[in-house]
Amino acid sequence: MTTDLEGLTQGSVTSRDGTRIGYWKTGSGPAVVLLHGSMESARSHTLLAKALAGDFTVYLPDRRGRGLSGPHRPDHSVQTEIEDLEAVLRDAGATRAFGVSASGAIVLAAARALPTLTKVAVYEPALVADPAPHAAWLARFDREVAEGNIAAAMITSMYGLELAPAAFKVMPRRLLAAITEKLLKKEDRAAGPDDITLRKLAPTVHYEGALIVELAGRFEEFGDVAAEVLLMGGSKGLPFLAPGRDALAEVLASCRRVEFDGLDHGSSSDPSEINSTGSAEAVGRIAAEVRAAFR
């Protein structure tokens, strides 16, 4: 996975357990931290970073297991993710953070724990009422990864997270896995040593699933969030996440909700092979709301 990193510089911090958390940085003004979602890296939000760079100094951390950052540890949890974010916030002097999907849930959890976070924006945070369906697909995903069948695991996670296109539902899993493996091999052959490929990203989905399970059914706890929250979603986003936004809007003390007509789950991210519906226009719409909320 490649992207335009022109104008961005690198830096790093050390999280509480000693793990390196690397980031990209651009812009000037008050600091803002942007956290990427599942099957993504820091590079996935360069358009959003550049859209905000005229008003803010934007930090784009690689979450663990990606790019500039160190690996996950066996005891990885939501608390680990909060500590990683806290290390970047402290280094940046930031009081504002954005997250999408799994990292949207992380940012909200961090806002409960870190009083220094005064303004947060989340897009389609991965918070659900029932952990059971996600525990089920996660068990199959882990088994397939352990067997070395990355392509099959990716198909499992796509079904589990309701990311699979409608056409996939009428195709045998074995055929889908074979097509996916062919695409992975093609990307592997073309990738440079520093490229963050889908094969490299795939195992990180375990931790996204585990995060969803850990935070499931805990909406009432977010009533403790003192930060101002911009809660965003798209009319074409993931249906299973929409009830979570409804629940959050009921409990958050300070919440402004925006639902974008026509945007989907990947709309905050750069267009790519796995985000074929992404566009600069969609990123711009989200950036405008984030900019207004963070001023």
Side-chain angles (χ1 to χ4, degrees), residues 5-287:
L5 298 172
E6 184 180 354
L8 279 70
T9 58
Q10 289 186 26
S12 67
V13 294
T14 302
S15 192
R16 188 173 300 182
D17 67 1
T19 300
R20 180 182 191 266
I21 305 298
Y23 59 75
W24 296 92
K25 176 183 174 183
T26 189
S28 60
V32 170
V33 177
L34 306 184
L35 279 189
H36 63 79
S38 305
M39 287 300 287
E40 293 188 334
S41 72
R43 305 179 185 191
S44 301
H45 280 85
T46 57
L47 285 180
L48 183 57
K50 291 179 179 182
L52 297 174
D55 298 280
F56 304 99
T57 302
V58 184
Y59 289 73
L60 291 165
D62 273 319
R63 291 170 57 212
R64 295 191 186 210
R66 293 102 164 158
L68 304 175
S69 294
H72 296 87
R73 297 193 180 191
D75 60 350
H76 189 87
S77 67
V78 173
Q79 181 58 34
T80 314
E81 299 273 6
I82 292 172
E83 290 170 3
D84 293 350
L85 174 57
E86 182 182 21
V88 180
L89 291 168
R90 186 185 304 114
D91 184 65
T95 60
R96 302 164 176 86
F98 165 90
V100 55
S101 193
S103 71
I106 293 164
V107 165
L108 286 171
R112 290 189 63 222
L114 306 175
T116 53
L117 270 178
T118 60
K119 296 184 178 185
V120 301
V122 294
Y123 186 79
E124 300 229 333
L127 293 167
V128 300
D130 183 7
H134 299 281
W137 73 255
L138 183 59
R140 177 171 181 167
F141 175 90
D142 288 344
R143 183 174 67 253
E144 289 166 338
V145 170
E147 292 168 352
N149 198 342
I150 297 297
M154 288 178 65
I155 298 301
T156 293
S157 67
M158 288 181 68
Y159 277 110
L161 294 170
E162 299 185 15
L163 295 169
F168 278 31
K169 297 177 182 179
V170 297
M171 297 175 67
R173 276 195 178 226
R174 185 173 296 180
L175 175 59
L176 290 172
I179 294 170
T180 302
E181 180 60 30
K182 184 177 292 186
L183 292 173
L184 292 176
K185 287 180 177 177
K186 180 180 178 182
E187 185 187 36
D188 290 343
R189 288 193 296 270
D194 296 326
D195 286 347
I196 302 173
T197 64
L198 296 177
R199 195 181 298 276
K200 290 177 181 178
L201 287 172
T204 66
V205 174
H206 164 84
Y207 302 95
E208 312 297 82
L211 180 151
I212 293 172
V213 171
E214 183 178 349
L215 290 176
R218 294 168 59 179
F219 294 107
E220 292 298 324
E221 295 179 9
F222 293 98
D224 296 342
V225 173
E228 297 175 16
V229 179
L230 172 61
L231 178 62
M232 297 176 286
S235 65
K236 295 183 179 180
L238 296 183
F240 80 94
L241 295 181
R245 295 197 296 282
D246 293 338
L248 285 168
E250 290 292 322
V251 301
L252 288 167
S254 176
C255 174
R256 184 167 71 87
R257 188 167 179 184
V258 177
E259 293 289 321
F260 294 96
D261 185 47
L263 297 195
D264 63 18
H265 191 64
S267 289
S268 70
S269 306
D270 296 4
S272 68
E273 289 186 8
I274 64 168
N275 188 33
S276 59
T277 59
S279 70
E281 187 270 338
V283 172
R285 291 172 65 186
I286 293 171

